[in-house]
Each structure stands twice: as C-alpha cells, then as structure tokens.
Amino acid sequence: MDAALARGYHCLIVHAPGQGMAIREQGLPFRHDWENVIRPVVDFALCIAGVDSRRIALLGWSMGGALVPRAAAFERRIKILIPNPGVLNWGESSFEQFNMYFPELMPLLDSNPQAFDAAMAQLMEQVFLYRWYMKDSMSKHGVSTPSALLFELRRFNNEPIVHRIRCRTLVMDGTAEAFSQGQARLLFDALECPKDYMLFTAQDTGLLHCQEGAQAVANHRMFDWLDEYL
C-alpha cells in the first residue's frame, strides 16, 4: 500500500471471502467465482472521489494470483491485471502439493472418499502441521471433510475462462516459487490479451514466493511497469 501511495496511486485493500475479517466476522469462505467478489469492489471503488473508472488495476498475491484472473475474465472495468504469482490452475497446483506429501492416500480420493477422510484423520492426529493446515483450509473453504476440500479446490481452474481476459496483464513469477511452480508460465502462454511476463531470480533477490524478502525490488519493477501502462 505504501509503495502505491508513494507513486500517486489510490490503493484499496480488501478482506475478501476466505480471508481476514470476511471469514472471521462474516463467515464468508473462499469461492471460485471471484468475479462475484470483485464486481462489488469495483462498484465501491468508483464511488470514491478521484478514482478514474478508466484506470482500474487489480492485483492479487499468492492464491490471489489464481483468483484475480478469474475476476478479470468477467469484470470488463478492470484495465490492468497483475497476478503475483500467476496461476492458471490452482486446483492442479494444489493437487501436486498433496500428491507430494500424501502419495499413498491420493488414489483413494475419487475411488473411496470416506476411506481417504479416515486415513487423513489419522495423519492429522499424528502430525500437528497436517492437522492445522487441513482444519484451517477446510474452514476457509466452507467444507467439513478433507475430501470435500480437495473436490472444492478442483473448481479453482482458470483454463476454461482464460481466453476471456482482455485487459493488459502482467504475470509475475519467481525461479524459486514453492507453491505453484510452473503455473505462471502456463497462465502467460494461455493468455490471448496484451501481456508481459516478469520473472524474478536469485540475481535480483526476488526469486521466492511473492518476492518474499525483496519487496522493494518487486515494487520498483512492478510499479515501473504499471506507470507505463496505467
């Protein structure tokens, strides 16, 4: 936010479903149809004095890199899209993580969801990190079982709608991306709109997820790009 204000941009930060006060106070879980989240946000922004309806940019970090492309595919008032990191198929990326940690359980998911849940419950009892992650993720996605969580994650897929995105898009990525490796490039290649790809490396120190530890570098590069197109 400070970096945006320093460049002279209005900056609207939102506690959206599945995040912050939206989930804690209102009980609003994540939803895959993110256009229905962003549309009222744009409505609200346009009521703020000084906001130019022709110059609205949408930026999403982390999982937001999967959500904001979905929104831009349907919300035509967005002129600039910045997913950081870009994600084409969040469900696929999530399943890759689950397959890495639970290779012996994943074949049960579709063939026997009840057995999958029972086996996952045992692991959750044994390992605190698994228990915390699964309970936290199930709560934020509005489901009550591990199998339901994975079935829900499958819905977070931009492949069927990516061709609808028309605004100029900056896809950000890092060579050490840990949670959606390869997805940013897949999104960039699938886009049919004006687009740019911004890769961070060990050389510029922004190689980690969302340029962790190198925000000054990331903000400088991103806002230089934004100054050119917005």
Side-chain angles (χ1 to χ4, degrees):
M1 180 176 181
D2 290 344
L5 296 177
R7 294 275 187 139
Y9 292 105
H10 295 284
C11 183
L12 178 61
I13 298 176
V14 179
H15 286 235
Q19 304 163 309
M21 304 312 291
I23 186 69
R24 291 182 176 88
E25 290 197 348
Q26 297 179 273
L28 298 175
F30 280 115
R31 53 190 295 171
H32 77 284
D33 55 344
W34 210 245
E35 68 275 14
N36 290 315
V37 175
I38 295 302
R39 187 173 296 117
V41 172
V42 176
D43 291 341
F44 178 84
L46 293 179
C47 294
I48 301 173
V51 171
D52 188 341
S53 63
R54 301 165 300 174
R55 302 174 68 202
I56 295 177
L58 177 63
L59 168 62
W61 282 282
S62 196
M63 185 179 175
L67 298 173
V68 295
R70 166 78 191 208
F74 296 93
E75 177 50 75
R76 296 301 183 196
R77 291 174 293 180
I78 296 169
K79 303 304 180 185
I80 294 288
L81 173 67
I82 307 177
N84 181 17
V87 179
L88 180 62
N89 189 332
W90 179 253
E92 179 180 79
S93 181
S94 299
F95 269 62
E96 288 177 357
Q97 296 284 323
F98 278 96
N99 282 320
M100 180 173 62
Y101 286 105
F102 313 113
E104 72 285 357
L105 299 188
M106 292 303 288
L108 294 173
L109 179 63
D110 290 306
S111 62
N112 193 337
Q114 292 79 15
F116 175 86
D117 289 335
M120 185 62 72
Q122 288 185 337
L123 281 177
M124 290 166 64
E125 284 296 320
Q126 296 167 5
V127 183
F128 170 78
L129 182 61
Y130 296 163
R131 183 165 67 252
W132 168 81
Y133 173 80
M134 293 303 296
K135 288 186 175 181
D136 181 70
S137 295
M138 289 188 294
S139 173
K140 290 178 178 177
H141 284 84
V143 298
S144 57
T145 64
S147 60
L149 171 64
L150 270 70
F151 293 144
E152 179 66 16
L153 287 172
R154 278 180 171 161
R155 305 177 71 192
F156 291 77
N157 179 10
N158 291 319
E159 291 175 2
I161 53 84
V162 66
H163 66 281
R164 295 176 56 100
I165 299 173
R166 290 289 174 262
C167 59
R168 177 169 284 277
T169 300
L170 173 63
V171 178
M172 300 176 69
D173 195 9
T175 55
E177 170 58 44
F179 304 108
S180 55
Q181 187 176 27
Q183 285 288 325
R185 190 74 216 189
L186 291 174
L187 174 64
F188 180 79
D189 290 343
L191 287 167
E192 300 177 6
C193 58
K195 59 186 179 179
D196 294 287
Y197 180 72
M198 184 177 290
L199 180 65
F200 291 84
T201 69
Q203 185 175 0
D204 57 34
T205 72
L207 68 167
L208 300 178
H209 180 65
C210 295
Q211 301 83 53
E212 183 179 0
Q215 285 303 302
V217 173
N219 287 334
H220 179 77
R221 290 183 61 186
M222 183 187 73
F223 281 110
D224 277 356
W225 179 92
L226 192 61
D227 287 345
E228 183 175 352
Y229 291 108
L230 192 61

